[in-house]
Amino acid sequence: MLCLDSLGPEWDCPPDSKNLDGKESPRKGGCGPPPTVCFPGPWQQDVGLDCKDSPEEAEARAWTVHYYSILQSCLQQAGLLETQDRSQVPRTGCPGAEVTLCILGPPSTFLSLLLEGGVQSPGNMLLCLSPAWLAKVPVPGQEGEAALLISKAVSFYPGGLTFLDDFVPPRRATYFLTGLGPESGHGQKAAELARNLSCPTGASAELAQLLEDRLLMRHLLSQQTGVAVPATLAFTYKPSELLQGGDASPGLRLVELSGKEGQETLVKEEVEAFVHSKALGDSLQVAVKLSGWRWRGQQALRLFPRAQPDTVVDTVLALLEKVEEEESVLVEALCPPAQLPLPGSPAVGPELAVHICALVCRIQGDRPLLSKVVCGVGRGDRPVRHRNTLPRTLDVALAQCGLEEEAQVAAVRQRIKEAAEAALAAVLALEAGLSAEQRGGRQAHTDFLGVDFTLTVIGRTLTPVVLKLNSGLCLEACGALEGLWAAPRLGSAAEEAASAPLVETMLRRSARCLMEGKQLLVVGAGGVSKKFVWEAARDYGLKLHLVESDPNHFASQLVQTFIHFDVTEHRKDEENARLLAELVRTRGLHLDGCFSFWDDCLVLTSLLCHELGLPCSPPAAMCLAKQKSRTQLHLLCHHGPPWPAPSLHAVACCPLEREADVERAVSQVPLPGVMKLEFGSGAVGVQLVKDGPQCHEHFSRILRDLQGEADHPGIGLGWGNAMLLMEFVEGTEHDVDLVVFGGRLLAAFVSDNGPTRLPGFTETAACMPTGLAPEQEAQMVQAAFRCCLGCGLLDGVFNVELKMTEAGPKLIEINPRMGGFYLRDWILELYGVDLLLASTMVACGLRPALPAHPRARGHLVGIMCVVSQHLQMLSSSGSRETLQALHDQGLLRLNLLEEAVIPGQYEEPYCNVACAGSSPAEARLRLLGLCQGLGIDTPNYPVAHFLSHFK
């Protein structure tokens, strides 16, 4: 027998080890004094670590001091400033109305997450060094759930700045994460704090126990395609119900024991059969260990030659005496380390073993995403574990072992990605079947996972084999690797931090927490393209009340309150706002906010908010942005300072109300020009005009065809049919979707449009994220932001259409509402940011919980289908069913913009069909092939031309 000594803090005490009192010592978690460690450093010792309302006993106080010293040592090594103590002047804040991400646990484990949180949400990422700094209070109306209040914490800011803060009144957590691993000194107190919280929770003792149960996890993973686990023989006494059902792989054998005694014959037969099984492959040794929460990280690793089953049997029988219900004894194959380079290569690699650690995060849509891979390299004759080797990248680790061939390294990386993401997907699927009690609370979910691999050869293929799952060690390893460049990385555009997707998830779940149960009035229900609003509202727990002209609108059945009111006559918006405000008061609605996503109703909504005292951009700003010529003429006069001024982005234009105005406009606006409705939307009636006669002809046609709302509902004719002529500028067209709060830009998303079908301007194609150079993208974002500020739009989600010309960005128009068509769906898919949720937060006066630097995870390229060109295809039920089926299979993204296929004089998009790819070229080629197969690509609708901007 080979019994390896401790290889770091996750080693396990041998079954016969004793405490000082002579008793066995399975880990109870977080008990006893902290380890005696010397932290050399010049930091201030006399800081306000005591919590006035909850004094600590000596041992708990020792842990608090210990963790504070660890934090200072970590900051020191990262080249960051010492924590500043400002607890003598408490922070006041707005408890219950602000994002508050709270972490309780070892600073060294969570440092990378804390630093990234300080960048993404300054001042809202808090580290608690003691459970005494936290308190649980019951939540009225939510039986059994409690809010978590923070009275003291270390706050994190960009640049690694940290402050020791007191909060009066206490801040209310919107997200809580605690360390529950063997190294945590908080033990039962941390577990109790995490249980049954009303705020989202990223860990609980109940979920941690499932993750730390190696048998359960191997049983779960063995059923996943593409996930390899070591061949394992498990003896279990009264197994968990979660081990029932599902076919295990041939390499996993589960033996249920009727008792802990008298099992000698059965154990001997099973062990001998196992060590002679083909499932062990080339393994020459087996390991024996206990599995279960009590034994996590405590046994010495006992290795036995595969050819000596008798000693294995004796060890199993000895360990069986110690197991309790739902615990087990495992006999597993020790995967031989791959000898690199592989056979056939010219050189002989050193006898080294690679330990691979992968961090996987849960992102938007409950999908797993591999965030980072960190490796350790050690001797091939003994396992490599966390904290006993320096972290390095996969490429460096494999090169050190002799494998540098690019294709082979890429193949290994892809297998790790697939296996790690499959592991988290399996855990999330398991959690979905658990009750709130089994998870540790309604809001408890696993948001990130560490997956430990060893690299071995299976069937001549270099294969990562999952050894175990963990919650904190892989996060710590990623932080240690990033710490090699920590000081220069902060504030720079370096590689994305491993914890960035996790911070985004924390913010997203915090936003849901802040908005759950909020009462919002929606003005205008929109059409089929806005169906997502009602589905999302139900998912977010919003309470919506609707004002709508159509008494039979489908959304009237999906809201808390329906108010039938004619909102189409906009010349009476001020009067209607007063009437609606009185209706709201009469019905006793207690609103947190009011908003609209429908162009027609934006000014009315702003006036109504003003009447009700609810947050919104000023009515004057909404009126200015709504009337296109006023927008341009106002900005042309806005010369600054500061510079660059919005006037740089405006273009010459002239309003047209009567025939006589056309001649005046032709003399003032350079031709060719663009004629459009002052209050129109959807590009209806927009046309390129080259000379005076064309201007007169188009003006007369619009006045004749589009006189009122009934002629073309939903495009703004309730405001009248006044027009404008504006200068036509050459360049590529782009959309910029902005989130602005308190006059500050929180987020911006830029997309590219394909060439339109002149002389009309109906959108044909789009690509996201933008293909503009970074400098041009920044110019586009700043131009959109400056134009919004120049009009007085200080709070809201806005869609700005611009062109990138040789002279820089030029404004087409501002839509002072969330982007239409496919934009909300695409941004949610690529960035994990929901513009609808951001809109509702701004409407409630809450700063949207958004990552500071959202990054797209992929590319989307889409094409519009229009009735004028695709009537036959869209009228066919078979074609529509095919589009829906391809959408359901994930082969395309379908966004319906209209419900009925009705041909008309003025062209409007019916739907958008998009394909995803790892690059714009890949997405473009997929979409082009799809369009050719579905009949979207025709001689009169050349898809390749419309996609030509996205090469």
Side-chain angles (χ1 to χ4, degrees), residues 567-572 600 679 708-709 715-721:
V567 297
T568 61
E569 185 48 71
H570 299 296
R571 295 179 180 90
K572 298 181 179 179
D600 253 15
F679 304 97
E709 182 71 15
I715 65 164
L717 293 173
W719 292 88
N721 61 354

Side-chain angles (χ1 to χ4, degrees), residues 107-117 475-476 478-479 482 497 499:
S108 56
T109 298
F110 294 107
L111 183 67
S112 62
L113 176 60
L114 293 161
L115 293 173
E116 181 64 21
L475 178 64
E476 182 180 73
C478 291
E482 293 167 2
S499 54

